[in-house]
Amino acid sequence: MGRLSESSGSSSDVDHQGMSPKSPVYGDGPQSTRPFEFPTVSAVMDSEQPSQPSTRQSTLGPAGTRLRQVALKVMHMQRSSTHFNKAGAGAEPGVDPRRQTAEELYGHLRQRCDITVIDYNSVRSSSRTLDNEGLRAYLAGDHRRPPWGRVRWIHCNGVSWDVLSALSLEYRVHPLALEDILHSHAESRSKSSYFMSHLFLRVMAHQALIGDSDEVSGITDLARSSSPVELDDDDSDESRPALFHFKPRSSTFSSRKDVEAAQGQATFDTTKTQRWQHPDEDIERRAERAELHVIKDDEDRTKLAMNNLFILLWRDGTVISIFAKPGSDFAAPIVSRLKSRDTILRATADPSLLVQSMLDLVVDQALEVIDRYHAQLTKLEASILIKPQMTAVRSLHILSGDLAMRKRSLEPIKSLVFGLRRYDLDRSAALTEDPKEPPVGFMSHKAKIYLADVLDHMDYILSSIDLFSTISENLISYSFNMSGYLTNETMRLLTLVTIIFMPLTLLTGYFGMNFMPFPAADNHSDVLFWIIALPVMSIIVPLFLWSDIRRMVHYLRKTSSAKKVSKAIKAGRTWPSRSGTL
């Protein structure tokens, strides 16, 4: 420690940082006139050694101390950037928009967003529509809420990094909430997260589509989500460095060198599974989707769109909602209600009631989806009860799988609503730093009352899904039972035919024997065969077909009676029945 190492091939001494103590870098060589230069990051990283005692640092001088501080700062930035870019197991959770690495990782996630800013109270409201650039300019200027505004609602259609970063910096969105927004997909579970300053909700919205659409989500739809589309067509993935691609936390590439080394071996699919994968694997997945294309585009199938709705609620009356689909009219019913003074939203001016309205809208759209499934199940039920077919059984299997997927994605919404009603105050109290301070929840009493109605609707939806699943399974069992019954009937007819012709076969075998003398055949003609066969047939046929004969007679009598009644009605007279009246 502290000793100088001497190189055999050079007369200069080198210290533990790989620099000469007499060099102008340390300022100890007044005879030198070389200008002051900073080493590169790679040089500092390659020459990094354990720190020396404080007695050694005191001899570096002002310039050396400054160089050491700058080098340590550069190394710290390099390490933190590499650690953040790793995004693998054990990576730091959350997304902080103040870090440069966040801009590098998520800067390519850009969409053209439709943003609506509404300020309102019980007697007055104002709204404005912005885009990405307009929102950034609005937040950079005087965007304070007007004195009369009790609630400010910012609704954004689309997920774009420039919009999210601007809102996060302005309203101090928690990094975990921002991470949930950026890493969510169409299979994400609905959840609620309580933070010190705000409440975060992620809700899966189900929307029934009308007509053909590419945004179909079903049990065989592999591509359930896609990354946001970039604004500029020239800014393609080929022209962007690999480091700037979005990498989820499940990625196995740990640094810039690993990413650059994998550019020619792996491709990053930003429109399907959002992970690094080999080109051969991508081809296999495309082939699987091609094979399931017929099932996916079934005309009788209920077509759905699943998108994430993110809601952030502050206690000061600020509400931010983000709908993952750009250009959507999801919030149009709520905006329409805010324009009227007679609605509960305007009369109360309660931000938690605005959150309840969005949850109620999600549940109402789920009710429309359940009605679609009910209509489809009724159609399949009528088809199977009239004439069971394997195509109907196939549709029932698909319907049963879709119902299971819907239940999986809708059950968390019920848990979310129940948690907001029952545990809002308790979870808020757990975040209170001062135990003597009375806890203040995010949801008001009136909002909890109306959340009870949302919870009732969710109970109806989930019970309907269970009922439909049971009916579909019963119809599938009925179809196979009917198929087995028809098979048994066919075998019964074949058995009856065999029984009927078995005596004739016996007689034919008897008279067809080739031996001499045969008096019964020699002294008679072929009439003897029929003299024996006809009486035997007259006894066997009624004996084994008696039940079928009775059903046939009953059917003929009913048909005859129906014709007579029809003729009597057409003639304008009544037909006496067994009770004396028609």
Side-chain angles (χ1 to χ4, degrees):
M1 298 293 294
R3 296 183 60 185
L4 299 180
S5 60
E6 182 176 354
S7 175
S8 60
S10 176
S11 60
S12 61
D13 297 331
V14 182
D15 69 342
H16 68 284
Q17 292 289 345
M19 304 174 186
S20 174
K22 297 182 180 181
S23 64
V25 174
Y26 282 90
D28 294 337
Q31 73 280 7
S32 176
T33 59
R34 294 176 57 189
F36 179 79
E37 296 180 355
F38 280 27
T40 61
V41 175
S42 58
V44 174
M45 295 294 292
D46 295 336
S47 61
E48 181 183 359
Q49 297 291 339
S51 59
Q52 299 297 325
S54 57
T55 56
R56 176 61 180 166
Q57 296 177 4
S58 60
T59 61
L60 297 180
T65 303
R66 180 184 177 188
L67 171 64
R68 184 177 183 81
Q69 293 176 353
V70 173
L72 291 176
K73 184 176 181 180
V74 172
M75 288 188 292
H76 176 71
M77 294 176 58
Q78 179 72 12
R79 289 171 179 173
S80 61
S81 176
T82 304
H83 176 72
F84 190 85
N85 291 338
K86 182 178 180 180
E92 182 179 357
V95 177
D96 189 354
R98 293 184 294 269
R99 303 182 65 171
Q100 180 63 27
T101 51
E103 177 67 27
E104 295 175 351
L105 288 173
Y106 304 100
H108 71 286
L109 298 178
R110 294 186 296 168
Q111 284 183 329
R112 182 66 62 185
C113 300
D114 301 325
I115 306 167
T116 304
V117 181
I118 300 178
D119 297 307
Y120 68 92
N121 60 8
S122 58
V123 296
R124 186 178 178 183
S125 67
S126 65
S127 64
R128 64 181 67 194
T129 303
L130 305 171
D131 55 4
N132 301 44
E133 295 78 6
L135 178 68
R136 294 198 300 269
Y138 176 69
L139 295 178
D142 187 8
H143 61 281
R144 292 177 297 177
R145 191 190 311 173
W148 51 265
R150 293 187 56 186
V151 180
R152 163 163 287 187
W153 179 30
I154 302 177
H155 179 74
C156 176
N157 290 319
V159 178
S160 183
W161 170 250
D162 54 349
V163 174
L164 291 177
S165 59
L167 292 174
S168 300
L169 293 174
E170 179 63 29
Y171 294 97
R172 299 182 180 180
V173 178
H174 199 277
L176 291 178
L178 185 58
E179 182 187 32
D180 286 336
I181 297 175
L182 293 171
H183 288 263
S184 295
H185 49 84
E187 293 181 351
S188 300
R189 290 174 58 89
S190 301
K191 56 174 271 189
S192 61
S193 299
Y194 281 77
F195 302 106
M196 186 66 68
S197 60
H198 60 85
L199 169 67
F200 172 73
L201 303 177
R202 179 179 65 196
V203 188
M204 180 62 63
H206 299 70
Q207 294 176 307
L209 301 179
I210 301 176
D212 297 334
S213 177
D214 295 336
E215 301 180 14
V216 180
S217 176
I219 191 172
T220 57
D221 189 5
L222 298 179
R224 297 184 181 273
S225 63
S226 59
S227 296
V229 182
E230 298 182 358
L231 290 177
D232 301 329
D233 296 337
D234 297 337
D235 195 9
S236 59
D237 292 341
E238 291 77 3
S239 60
R240 186 184 300 275
L243 176 64
F244 296 95
H245 284 288
F246 170 74
K247 292 192 301 178
R249 297 174 63 182
S250 60
S251 176
T252 58
F253 295 92
S254 58
S255 63
R256 182 193 298 264
K257 295 181 180 180
D258 296 333
V259 174
E260 293 175 351
Q263 285 183 348
Q265 302 176 0
T267 59
F268 184 69
D269 191 356
T270 58
T271 60
K272 299 298 178 187
T273 58
Q274 294 187 349
R275 65 181 180 90
W276 288 86
Q277 59 184 11
H278 195 271
D280 295 339
E281 182 181 357
D282 183 62
I283 295 175
E284 294 177 359
R285 293 180 62 85
R286 291 176 183 272
E288 293 176 358
R289 288 194 292 269
E291 293 176 357
L292 297 174
H293 184 71
V294 177
I295 300 179
K296 175 182 175 181
D297 295 338
D298 190 357
E299 296 180 357
D300 297 333
R301 189 168 191 171
T302 301
K303 295 179 173 59
L304 304 177
M306 298 175 59
N307 297 283
N308 284 294
L309 172 65
F310 309 99
I311 305 174
L312 297 103
L313 170 62
W314 282 262
R315 290 188 179 90
D316 62 352
T318 303
V319 179
I320 297 179
S321 59
I322 302 172
F323 193 67
K325 180 181 178 182
S328 174
D329 57 349
F330 171 81
I334 302 179
V335 174
S336 177
R337 291 168 58 187
L338 290 176
K339 293 180 180 179
S340 177
R341 296 184 180 181
D342 300 333
T343 59
I344 301 176
L345 287 177
R346 285 289 304 276
T348 58
D350 186 359
S352 61
L353 202 60
L354 177 61
V355 175
Q356 181 273 335
S357 300
M358 285 186 277
L359 294 176
D360 184 63
L361 179 58
V362 171
V363 174
D364 288 344
Q365 292 180 348
L367 285 172
E368 296 179 359
V369 173
I370 295 301
D371 292 339
R372 291 281 191 92
Y373 279 120
H374 188 195
Q376 182 182 1
L377 184 61
T378 302
K379 182 179 178 181
L380 291 174
E381 183 180 14
S383 171
I384 288 177
L385 292 178
I386 294 175
K387 186 179 180 181
Q389 295 180 353
M390 292 307 298
T391 55
V393 174
R394 167 181 169 272
S395 299
L396 281 174
H397 273 290
I398 296 176
L399 176 63
S400 179
D402 285 344
L403 289 173
M405 295 294 294
R406 298 291 83 77
K407 183 177 181 180
R408 177 187 175 187
S409 57
L410 288 171
E411 275 186 337
I413 300 179
K414 178 183 176 181
S415 302
L416 184 150
V417 176
F418 180 78
L420 292 178
R421 292 191 67 247
R422 175 63 181 83
Y423 301 110
D424 176 66
L425 195 61
D426 297 337
R427 293 171 179 174
S428 300
L431 298 174
T432 305
E433 296 180 352
D434 187 4
K436 298 181 180 180
E437 181 181 354
V440 179
F442 289 93
M443 308 302 294
S444 64
H445 293 289
K446 180 166 289 189
K448 292 180 180 179
I449 293 174
Y450 284 94
L451 281 175
D453 181 67
V454 179
L455 189 61
D456 293 339
H457 290 170
M458 284 305 306
D459 287 333
Y460 169 77
I461 290 173
L462 295 177
S463 61
S464 298
I465 290 177
D466 293 334
L467 176 62
F468 296 161
S469 299
T470 303
I471 293 176
S472 61
E473 292 175 0
N474 292 339
L475 289 176
I476 292 174
S477 301
Y478 173 80
S479 301
F480 285 107
N481 292 339
M482 288 300 299
S483 177
Y485 173 77
L486 295 177
T487 302
N488 294 337
E489 285 295 315
T490 304
M491 296 302 298
R492 178 175 175 271
L493 293 177
L494 292 176
T495 304
L496 289 176
V497 172
T498 303
I499 292 174
I500 292 172
F501 287 97
M502 188 177 295
L504 300 179
T505 304
L506 177 62
L507 292 176
T508 302
Y510 175 74
F511 285 101
M513 292 182 180
N514 189 14
F515 60 88
M516 296 299 290
F518 195 175
D522 295 341
N523 300 328
H524 299 82
S525 63
D526 59 340
V527 178
L528 178 62
F529 174 82
W530 296 109
I531 293 174
I532 300 174
L534 292 177
V536 174
M537 293 289 294
S538 62
I539 296 174
I540 293 177
V541 170
L543 181 63
F544 287 96
L545 296 180
W546 178 249
S547 59
D548 296 289
I549 294 174
R550 289 185 58 184
R551 286 198 297 266
M552 183 179 296
V553 172
H554 180 70
Y555 173 76
L556 293 176
R557 290 180 60 184
K558 287 181 62 176
T559 304
S560 177
S561 299
K563 289 182 179 179
K564 290 180 180 180
V565 172
S566 178
K567 289 181 180 179
I569 293 175
K570 291 181 180 179
R573 59 187 178 89
T574 59
W575 183 265
S577 62
R578 293 181 179 180
S579 61
T581 58
L582 182 61

